[in-house]
Amino acid sequence: MPKSVIVRRKTKETDIKIGLHVYGRGRYEIKTGISFLDHMLGLFAKHGVFDLKSVAAGDLDVDRHHTNEDVGITLGEAFSRGLEKRQGIKRFGEATVPMDEALVRAVVDVSGRPFLKFNTNKIKAKDIGAYSFNHAEQFLRAFVTKAGMTVHIDVLDGQDLHHILEATFKG
């Protein structure tokens, strides 16, 4: 089994440290400065049954973009290192997750080939305060690219963006 990994990313705009144990118990401590992202990452860890510690400092007074994207990059790098040569793992996974009125299908291939399809075409949900579909897609694209995963997310139904994104991160 791969060892636990710690990845740090420091740029002009952000300073992020992530500790990951891929074969964990779903425990997490997350402080990115973006409360909604913290909530989503907690669900991701809990339902993905991996342990995650994340601390981020960023230029949130300017915008959430840098912190949001750089957390995705750093977490993707942690997964890439944590999966090592990707041997002895179940490569494919699929989940269809309901959350009240929302229904999301997530299909993953831990292939080493990065690709994200985030299909939200049918949905007209409103942004949640300062978090949006755009923020979620930027995070997911950064994560998938650095992790080397192919991920297809289809938002099948939903009106409440919080519920849609919760189902997405759980899947």
Side-chain angles (χ1 to χ4, degrees), residues 2-166:
K3 62 186 183 306
S4 295
V5 296
I6 295 174
V7 177
R8 184 161 186 210
R9 177 180 173 84
K10 188 171 174 126
T11 68
K12 189 173 92 176
E13 296 85 12
T14 63
D15 187 359
I16 298 163
K17 184 178 179 182
I18 290 183
L20 173 71
H21 183 65
V22 176
Y23 297 105
R25 296 185 179 152
R27 296 176 297 200
Y28 56 89
E29 292 177 39
I30 302 163
K31 294 178 184 151
T32 66
I34 304 171
S35 298
F36 190 78
L37 181 60
D38 293 352
H39 178 46
M40 294 301 105
L41 292 176
L43 294 170
F44 187 40
K46 179 180 178 179
H47 292 275
V49 196
F50 56 86
D51 296 338
L52 176 63
K53 283 188 178 185
S54 175
V55 178
D59 59 353
L60 295 174
D61 56 320
V62 175
D63 190 298
R64 295 182 180 319
H65 171 77
H66 294 125
T67 302
N68 182 63
E69 186 174 50
D70 284 3
V71 168
I73 290 168
T74 310
L75 183 58
E77 178 70 23
F79 264 90
S80 183
R81 290 184 193 178
L83 292 170
E84 294 181 318
K85 296 178 182 175
R86 301 169 193 253
Q87 295 175 341
I89 62 171
K90 261 189 162 177
R91 197 175 121 181
F92 305 101
E94 179 177 1
T96 302
V97 180
M99 178 63 200
D100 296 344
E101 86 298 341
L103 185 64
V104 176
R105 179 178 50 233
V107 183
V108 178
D109 179 4
V110 186
S111 61
R113 292 184 307 276
F115 179 81
L116 174 67
K117 176 70 174 182
F118 191 38
N119 182 6
T120 62
N121 294 338
K122 300 176 185 175
I123 306 305
K124 304 288 186 228
K126 294 187 169 125
D127 294 347
I128 306 165
Y131 211 80
S132 65
F133 268 131
N134 188 44
H135 287 112
E137 185 169 11
Q138 288 171 350
F139 171 85
L140 291 167
R141 188 165 313 285
F143 169 72
V144 163
T145 299
K146 276 306 222 183
M149 296 179 183
T150 297
V151 176
H152 288 257
I153 297 169
D154 295 305
V155 179
L156 303 172
D157 202 358
Q159 300 299 315
D160 184 308
L161 183 58
H162 184 127
H163 295 160
I164 292 167
L165 292 179
E166 190 164 320

